[in-house]
Amino acid sequence: MTIPKKKKKKKKKITIKINKYIKKKKKKNTDRCIYGHFTVTSWNVRGIRSQAKKIKIFDYVSRLNADIVFFQETHLLKSEEKSLTDSNFNKIYNSCFNSRQRGVSVLLNKRLPVNIINSIIDPEGRYIIIKVVIYNKCFTILNLYAPNNDDPDFFHRIFLELSDLSADSSLIIGGDFNLVLNTSLDRSSKCSNTKPSRSAKVLMDYMEDLGIGDVWRLNNPTKKEYTFFSPVHKSFSRIDFFLSNNSIVHKISSKIHPIIISDHAPISLTL
């Protein structure tokens, strides 16, 4: 009689432990849905038409665990948009120009619980703006490829477009801005002209007005790290970055990855 009692007691304890584990696990998964994190990766790929290069790029993006991907300089034609189809990304937005210039894309991972509210796609291959709901929070995301000449009007146009969608949402702006915000920290060469460009001034004015900041720089106030190497000038610069609301920057981490495959480094933001 003693042996069966011991077995019953032991079985009851195991059941209680399993039930506690299941409840704990369910609670953890629920919390993750409510307070979910996601990663945005931005990368000027300098062309993604080659199948071999595309495979390398998507393999690297996968290793970075990206939920949202911003590509710049895709060089895709309108007829080649479907070439970016990938098993991990079920929503893809493209702005094409020609096979040698421009082109931006936004890819959304199928594991990300996202609802699309609205979008603006530039016909000139420069930017894509999408208003989304992710984990019950509203964001306006902007992927841009700025002109490589000093063109303040481009940024006036971008922020005018952005104003139509960005109300009541947090901003995530990323891409290749083709400018530096801090001439002493964001360039490797000692340039005689330490004044910011006209485009940089306009951008910084909008940043101040909208209460948005350079995520990586706010987390690395004095650090020097670069995203692009110019063989012409034989210098490095940080022209790829993310901007987001100053009110949520403390919740965001940002990273610059090695320059690989392209002449630009991929960059990541995790919120």
Side-chain angles (χ1 to χ4, degrees), residues 135-163:
Y135 293 116
N136 301 317
K137 293 179 184 177
C138 195
F139 296 90
T140 299
I141 60 174
L142 162 60
N143 174 21
L144 65 86
Y145 172 55
N148 58 10
N149 58 313
D150 195 3
D151 184 3
D153 288 341
F154 171 77
F155 290 97
H156 285 305
R157 191 165 70 252
I158 278 276
F159 282 95
L160 184 64
E161 291 269 38
L162 197 60
S163 64

Side-chain angles (χ1 to χ4, degrees), residues 25-44:
K25 194 172 181 184
K26 279 183 180 177
K27 190 176 185 297
K28 189 178 177 183
N29 286 340
T30 307
D31 287 348
R32 181 169 172 77
C33 287
I34 298 169
Y35 304 105
H37 297 282
F38 61 92
T39 297
V40 185
T41 294
S42 178
W43 195 358
N44 181 323

Side-chain angles (χ1 to χ4, degrees), residues 182-187 214-226 238 256:
N182 187 315
T183 54
S184 59
L185 289 175
D186 294 332
R187 282 199 188 111
D214 176 352
V215 178
W216 189 88
R217 178 56 67 207
L218 288 170
N219 287 314
N220 301 275
T222 59
K223 194 174 181 181
K224 289 189 174 187
E225 205 166 334
Y226 310 108
R238 190 176 69 91
I256 297 172

Side-chain angles (χ1 to χ4, degrees), residues 38-42 67-68 171-174 215-216 241-244 252-255 257 267-271:
F38 61 92
T39 297
V40 185
T41 294
S42 178
D67 297 297
I68 300 173
L171 287 172
I172 297 176
I173 302 170
V215 178
W216 189 88
F241 46 89
F242 287 105
L243 304 176
S244 192
I252 303 174
S253 62
S254 182
K255 188 174 181 182
H257 303 283
I267 56 172
S268 291
L269 169 154
T270 300
L271 174 62

Side-chain angles (χ1 to χ4, degrees), residues 37 91 110 112 169 183 199 231 247 257:
H37 297 282
K91 293 183 179 74
K110 64 183 180 184
L112 188 69
S169 64
T183 54
S199 293
S247 58
H257 303 283

